[in-house]
Amino acid sequence: LGIMIFAMIPYTVQAENSGGVLASSSTVSYFPTSPVEGGQVTIRLTLENQNNVNAENVEYQFWWGSVGQDGELMKAATVNIPAGESVDVEAIRSSLTAGSHQIGIVFKYTSEQMFFKTITVAGLPDLEVTDILTSPESVNSGDDIDISVEVSNTGSENAGGSEVKIDFGGDFEVVELPAIDSGESAWANVTMTAPSSGDHDIIATVDLNDNVTEADEDNQFSSLFTVDSRMDLSHIGDIEVTVDEN
């Protein structure tokens, strides 16, 4: 008499059972296993069919947060599971925010079952330009202009030292910035020469050399500045000079 041995999925917690189709929080995995703020995570659910017949049109749903009105439905679909086998289904979540997040799983073969899995997303710093100031506010071509750029860390973690590049009218300056704690800011101050008259962008590029791993690596910011024209005086005709006898 032959003995057939089936490799079954180990359930470390009580599995939810819908007519012989099983799943639980222990059959939910995600990768990367250490997701970070601003990135994405792939969530995988393994559904096992313990019946000796195929399980057709098994419904499943992935929810971010609560299940229902207060949550966000990431994916809803159906899958066929061969008799005695298991299948993997996946959903992807992008633009992650830092903190602990609950994933709701709903599946149904004969009856609806629901459970939850918690994912922890690590925070990151995020350097952004929050203000660009000029002094004086009005300049002519060739004048000196003071430019001040405020760099803020809007992320949830502290940022180490970095550099900011300030471009204006074809010239640029690079300023070193100290470490900036979460929620704090630092100023970069330069004096530059106003270019030719007209509209010019003051462009600030933070974390110039990618020293800081950020939640958002879009690091270029700009502000439009207008350089005034110098008055050009000319005289038409001969110049006559009259000298007072006194």
Side-chain angles (χ1 to χ4, degrees):
L1 179 64
I3 299 176
M4 298 183 65
I5 301 176
F6 294 91
M8 306 300 290
I9 301 172
Y11 289 92
T12 58
V13 297
Q14 180 63 42
E16 305 296 335
N17 189 332
S18 178
V21 174
L22 277 65
S24 73
S25 60
S26 66
T27 69
V28 176
S29 58
Y30 55 89
F31 54 92
T33 54
S34 299
V36 295
E37 183 178 10
Q40 71 175 33
V41 63
T42 299
I43 305 159
R44 177 176 295 163
L45 167 66
T46 300
L47 293 162
E48 180 192 1
N49 179 14
Q50 292 189 337
N51 298 300
N52 57 9
V53 296
N54 296 343
E56 305 286 343
N57 298 316
V58 177
E59 302 174 10
Y60 66 90
Q61 298 174 0
F62 289 86
W63 291 82
W64 189 260
S66 301
V67 171
Q69 186 175 359
D70 294 332
E72 181 179 343
L73 180 62
M74 292 188 289
K75 185 177 182 180
T78 61
V79 65
N80 299 327
I81 311 175
E85 297 185 15
S86 62
V87 297
D88 293 334
V89 292
E90 296 179 346
I92 296 175
R93 177 73 178 189
S94 302
S95 302
L96 297 173
T97 56
S100 294
H101 302 277
Q102 189 169 248
I103 300 168
I105 302 293
V106 179
F107 72 100
K108 178 182 178 182
Y109 181 41
T110 59
S111 60
E112 184 173 280
Q113 303 295 323
M114 178 173 61
F115 58 89
F116 295 89
K117 180 88 170 184
T118 299
I119 288 181
T120 299
V121 177
L124 289 174
D126 188 13
L127 297 177
E128 296 185 344
V129 171
T130 47
D131 206 355
I132 297 178
L133 302 177
T134 57
S135 179
E137 294 182 357
S138 177
V139 298
N140 300 115
S141 176
D143 290 347
D144 284 344
I145 178 173
D146 296 325
I147 302 174
S148 298
V149 174
E150 183 183 34
V151 179
S152 300
N153 180 3
T154 61
S156 58
E157 297 295 325
N158 298 337
S162 62
E163 300 81 29
V164 57
K165 179 184 178 185
I166 301 172
D167 290 270
F168 182 49
D171 197 8
F172 71 89
E173 297 282 349
V174 175
V175 180
E176 292 189 4
L177 293 175
I180 305 176
D181 290 346
S182 174
E184 300 296 324
S185 62
W187 287 89
N189 303 299
V190 298
T191 299
M192 303 182 75
T193 301
S196 59
S197 60
D199 292 337
H200 299 271
D201 281 323
I202 300 173
I203 302 173
T205 305
V206 298
D207 193 24
L208 180 63
N209 295 312
D210 294 326
N211 295 330
V212 180
T213 301
E214 302 175 75
D216 181 359
E217 295 288 355
D218 183 8
N219 285 336
Q220 194 171 91
F221 304 83
S222 65
S223 176
L224 188 65
F225 185 84
T226 300
V227 177
D228 296 333
S229 299
R230 288 191 177 276
M231 184 179 295
D232 187 8
L233 298 178
S234 62
H235 183 79
I236 300 175
D238 294 333
I239 299 176
E240 181 178 332
V241 178
T242 302
V243 179
D244 193 332
E245 292 181 357
N246 298 321

